[in-house]
């Protein structure tokens, strides 16, 4: 049975094969696991066990402060806590713990290197993450966790074939939620949506904690939403919330469904509640665009200012990724600044995402002849993304390539007619204008 590739938030790949023996060992079939609420585990706050583990590890380190493995474990726990809570302050705690581990054991310290790689990925310093992972590979060539760090870095650096090979190696070492979800992302980026969905279902079947189930359900919901299937997306988001009722990503998914169905007021209310608890730049930008779509420009402007403050906070904690900042500047600020930020990020990593962001920033700055090359690069893997296809269509329209623009914009709306409450209507307007020429 073949199941094929994906890597995780937001792109790589040769055909990956998960053998029938792996599926049999997991008890996996092609059918979706039981969807009934009774089949879902009782919810426990995922930050609770992490905080308990951190407290216990700190107590142990108070007694034995010279334990490098203990410090590495503490750093890894803080990286995970940052993922669960969305609080970038945990990055600094992770850095201090991992640095202490290396001070105590500067040579042969695979645990600290893996932790530093995971932290670098979390901060979007993907080149550093790859370096740490490659150093650790010499010490732990059969560590599935290490391959997870390496895959995430390679994917975001745009090294598609290397990422695919690493996904296959991780699947061989330890088939399970981390490897199946990465394979699924890899496949999605290649335009193989059905195979990606199958890989995510295998991940869901292998999930054995509430946090893992919520994670798998969210990505299944995203796959459904991104292909325009709102009913399926809502179902997966709701089942994910049964496992983790306070999961921010799942709450965002539900708000997107309401917006896609035209209920902007409900979507705004849900995004406001979400950003009060998890004021992440992505969510704040989406809330601002909902306000714009609802004709509430003052509220939108306030959210964009708040996002700018978030970027400053993240940079203070060592997160220097400029994709969201470039998107904000291109759409709602200074396109010239957007180009500067997008070029900085593209200089560090040439992924599908950074290619698209640079293309769109150049377009908004009126530099379409430069933009189209990056838009073509973003499309080269075959990812069926309505947003990327819309961007390419608008660039083609600006270049006067009416027939190609019509094909691209029609395809964007075919992939997902609800991809954005702000931009899907613009795609329709652009198509109508092209049809009258």
């Amino acid at each position: 049975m073949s199941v094929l590739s994906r890597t995780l938030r937001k792109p790589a790949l040769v055909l990956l094969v998960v053998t029938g023996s792996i599926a049999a060992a997991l008890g996996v079939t092609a059918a979706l696991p039981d969807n009934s609420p009774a089949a879902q585990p009782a919810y426990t706050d995922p930050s609770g066990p992490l905080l308990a583990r951190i407290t216990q590890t700190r107590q142990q380190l108070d007694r034995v402060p010279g334990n490098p493995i203990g410090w590495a474990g503490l750093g890894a726990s803080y990286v995970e806590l940052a993922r669960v809570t969305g609080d970038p302050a945990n990055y600094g705690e992770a850095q201090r713990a991992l640095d202490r581990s290396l001070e105590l054991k500067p040579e042969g310290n695979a645990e600290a290197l893996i932790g530093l790689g995971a932290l670098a990925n979390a901060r979007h310093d993907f080149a550093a993450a790859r370096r740490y992972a490659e150093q650790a590979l010499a010490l732990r060539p059969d560590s599935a966790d290490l391959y997870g760090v390496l895959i995430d870095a390679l994917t975001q650096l745009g090294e598609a074939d290397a990422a695919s090979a690493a996904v296959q190696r991780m699947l061989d070492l330890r088939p399970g939620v981390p490897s199946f979800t990465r394979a699924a992302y890899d496949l999605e980026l290649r335009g193989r949506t059905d195979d990606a969905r199958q890989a995510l279902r295998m991940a869901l079947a292998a999930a054995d904690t509430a946090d893992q189930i919520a994670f798998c359900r969210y990505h299944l919901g995203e796959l459904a939403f991104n292909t325009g299937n709102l009913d399926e997306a809502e179902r997966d988001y709701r089942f994910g919330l049964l496992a983790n009722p306070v999961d921010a990503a799942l709450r965002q998914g539900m708000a997107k469904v309401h917006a896609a169905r035209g209920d902007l007021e409900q979507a705004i209310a849900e995004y406001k509640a979400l950003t009060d608890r998890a004021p992440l730049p992505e969510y704040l930008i989406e809330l601002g665009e909902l306000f714009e779509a609802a004709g509430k420009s003052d509220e939108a402007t306030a959210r964009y200012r708040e996002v700018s403050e978030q970027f400053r906070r993240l940079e203070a904690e060592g997160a220097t990724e400029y994709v969201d900042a470039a998107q904000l500047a291109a759409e709602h600020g200074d396109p010239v600044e957007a180009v500067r930020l997008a070029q900085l990020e593209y200089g560090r990593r040439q992924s599908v995402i950074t290619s698209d962001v640079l293309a769109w920033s150049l377009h908004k700055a009126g530099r379409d002849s430069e933009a189209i090359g990056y838009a073509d690069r973003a499309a080269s893997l075959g990812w069926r993304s309505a947003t990327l296809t819309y961007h390419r269509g608008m660039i083609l329209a600006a270049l006067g390539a009416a027939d190609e623009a019509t094909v691209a914009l029609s395809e964007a709306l075919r992939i997902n007619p609800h991809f954005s409450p702000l931009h899907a209507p613009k795609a329709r307007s652009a198509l109508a204008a092209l049809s009258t020429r």
Side-chain angles (χ1 to χ4, degrees), residues 34-56:
D34 186 358
N35 288 331
S36 65
Q40 304 292 336
Y43 165 71
T44 55
D45 182 353
S47 67
L50 280 170
L51 290 169
R53 187 195 312 163
I54 286 169
T55 299
Q56 182 182 32

Side-chain angles (χ1 to χ4, degrees), residues 27-174:
V28 175
T29 67
L32 193 64
D34 186 358
N35 288 331
S36 65
Q40 304 292 336
Y43 165 71
T44 55
D45 182 353
S47 67
L50 280 170
L51 290 169
R53 187 195 312 163
I54 286 169
T55 299
Q56 182 182 32
T57 305
R58 282 199 169 279
Q59 290 171 347
Q60 292 169 346
L61 289 169
D62 286 342
R63 294 192 296 271
V64 188
N67 179 1
I69 294 177
W71 284 105
L74 180 63
S77 293
Y78 273 117
V79 174
E80 179 66 5
L81 187 62
R83 182 190 73 79
V84 169
T85 64
D87 183 356
N90 292 301
Y91 294 151
E93 295 288 350
Q95 185 75 60
R96 285 184 283 275
L98 292 164
D99 286 347
R100 180 58 179 152
S101 177
L102 276 181
E103 287 172 10
L104 292 167
K105 186 181 177 182
E107 301 295 332
N109 192 340
E111 290 81 3
L113 290 171
I114 293 171
L116 286 166
L119 176 60
N121 273 332
R123 286 171 159 170
H124 293 186
D125 187 354
F126 300 110
R130 179 181 58 187
R131 286 196 300 273
Y132 287 125
E134 289 172 345
Q135 290 172 38
L137 264 177
L139 304 170
R140 296 281 177 82
D142 296 328
S143 167
D145 291 336
L146 169 55
Y147 273 96
V149 173
L150 181 61
I151 291 161
D152 295 344
L154 290 171
T155 299
Q156 296 301 328
L157 289 168
E159 298 186 21
D161 291 345
S164 300
V167 170
Q168 185 63 69
R169 179 61 176 152
M170 189 178 184
L171 285 166
D172 292 340
L173 287 169
R174 193 170 70 205

Side-chain angles (χ1 to χ4, degrees), residues 66 107 233 276 313:
E107 301 295 332
D276 284 345
R313 280 189 63 209

Side-chain angles (χ1 to χ4, degrees), residues 290-350:
L290 276 173
F291 278 128
E292 273 198 62
K296 301 179 179 181
S297 58
D298 289 345
E299 289 94 332
T301 300
R303 291 313 178 282
Y304 299 144
R305 281 199 298 266
E306 192 174 347
V307 177
S308 297
E309 177 57 33
Q310 283 296 92
F311 289 142
R312 285 190 285 273
R313 280 189 63 209
L314 288 165
E315 190 163 6
E317 293 295 341
T320 56
E321 187 262 7
Y322 301 111
V323 165
D324 284 337
Q327 289 175 331
L328 179 66
E331 290 290 353
H332 313 292
D334 179 1
V336 174
E337 175 66 1
V339 171
R340 185 186 74 83
L341 293 169
Q343 287 175 331
L344 280 173
E345 195 61 32
Y346 187 83
R348 300 195 300 179
R349 54 185 180 112
Q350 294 79 51

